[in-house]
Amino acid sequence: MRERMHKIKASHGDKIMGEVTVNMALGGMRGLKSMLWETSLLDSENGIRFRGYTIPELQKKLPTAKPNGEPLPEGILWLLLTGELPSKAQVDSLSAELSSRAELPEHVLRVLDALPAKAHPMTQFTCAIMAMQTESKFAAAYLSGMHKSEYWDPVFEDTLDCVAKLPATAAAIYRRSFKDGKIISPDPALDWAGNFAHMMGYGDEGTKELMRLYMTIHSDHEGGNVSAHATHLVGSALSDPFCSLAAGMNGLAGPLHGLANQEVLKWLNIVENELGDDLSSEKISELVHSTLNSGRVIPGYGHAVLRKTDPRYTCQREFAMKHLPDYPKFKLVSKLYEIVPTILSETGKVRNPWPNVDAHSGVLLQYYGITEENFYTVMFGVSRALGVLSQLTLSRAIGLAIERPKSITSEWLEEKFGKV
Ligand SMILES: CC(=O)SCCNC(=O)CCNC(=O)[C@H](O)C(C)(C)COP(=O)(O)OP(=O)(O)OC[C@H]1O[C@@H](n2cnc3c(N)ncnc32)[C@H](O)[C@@H]1OP(=O)(O)O
Ligand SMILES: O=C([O-])CC(=O)C(=O)O
């Protein structure tokens, strides 16, 4: 990879990739091509491709726990890190490797215990990730004076350690926040995602399959989204993977990003209560307008890059049609899909009126009994670690520079382009 990057820099370093407008600087850098992200690429029309593969392709090509089942997320971790599709034997070996690293340092649970059980699960999650930072092999190697060409190796070790420990961490948060607080030991015979469901207290095959799919599709969404970019930015200062991931997770906790899955459920519950048995288009449309008129967004709809229905939404919809076609909340979600895009388009300002991944994920979890929506973003975060930490390993391998874009003031703009 290093040699290739070196050649790309030497041959194309001075080429121009696009222009920067004032709107880009003022509008969240939308569309600005300014970072390297190898693990996935987002197309506004077709959605995400993980190392070139679409979600339906991965559902066919990645090893599964059972015949015609959902992909094992260890497979996507392998793919994101190496660019190659793993065999079943390789995925099984990675499962065993993660399982061997899964035990939590004892103080992580004590840190969680110091927080009130009502602390938001995302707050607990980032605190726990920071508590694990004591174990960082990269931080220790850096302190001991490691040569920079070798940084990727302990970053990779931290990546595997962190990914291995996140399901037990998240499950502990779930159990203390919403259940009896008793920790459920991992089952060494289970895969990474199956074990996550098991440690949360869901032993049935349906929940495990959903967890495998959920963990696969939420893993990566190129580099510019808030959680990926925050992880990348902090990692570029050579902060270790635990510090970097915690930064990303604090970004994921925002309602315009990962927390939208929680907000969707809260909103669906309000809509469901208001509607009663009346699933008429008129009544639903009235409720959508009332949310918009009160100055709030419709959670789960819109996207900064996508301009079509998110393929992650479509894949979850297909899962629902297969496993829970008659579930009333799924019917409501389907009805909203018919109505919301037209209303958002009519506002004349929403660039993408179609649903994103978060519009669908919560309803599937509800069906399997995971009804505590405040926990949903933690599940998203466990999955997102696969992508952002894979890229962090690659970023250190190719020696990407510390991020430091240039900012300007409004006076600077007026001096350059004219006083307004
Ligand atoms: C995993 C993920 O992070 S997927 C995204 C999850 N977030 C959500 O679902 C929250 C709801 N959606 C949104 O807030 C937005 O669509 C975002 C944050 C995802 C994208 O934001 P942007 O790229 O700025 O969207 P866009 O360019 O279309 O915004 C233009 C206007 O439409 C509004 N808009 C966009 N989406 C929506 C929506 N779902 N409901 C109401 N208004 C919306 C914006 O708030 C903005 O209004 P303003 O000009 O008054 O400030
Ligand atoms: O790409 C984005 O901006 C948000 C998103 O869907 C994700 O991070 O999964």
Side-chain angles (χ1 to χ4, degrees), residues 5-21:
M5 269 317 131
H6 198 70
K7 283 185 185 156
I8 289 176
K9 263 177 130 172
S11 311
H12 305 309
D14 292 333
K15 310 250 163 82
I16 292 166
M17 295 206 300
E19 55 181 13
V20 184
T21 64

Side-chain angles (χ1 to χ4, degrees), residues 42 217-218 220-222 224-228 252 256-258 303-306 310 312 356-358 380 384:
L42 184 62
I217 65 173
H218 286 79
D220 208 27
H221 218 233
E222 73 169 29
N225 68 76
V226 171
S227 50
L252 196 72
L256 294 188
H257 188 25
H303 200 274
V305 179
L306 284 166
D310 190 336
R312 298 170 298 178
N356 60 57
V357 65
D358 294 328
F380 192 158
R384 186 49 55 96

Side-chain angles (χ1 to χ4, degrees), residues 311-331:
R312 298 170 298 178
Y313 177 95
T314 309
C315 134
Q316 295 181 97
R317 179 169 166 76
E318 280 161 10
F319 184 96
M321 290 193 292
K322 186 167 160 197
H323 297 286
L324 43 133
D326 299 323
Y327 184 45
K329 278 192 161 66
F330 170 54
K331 289 194 170 154

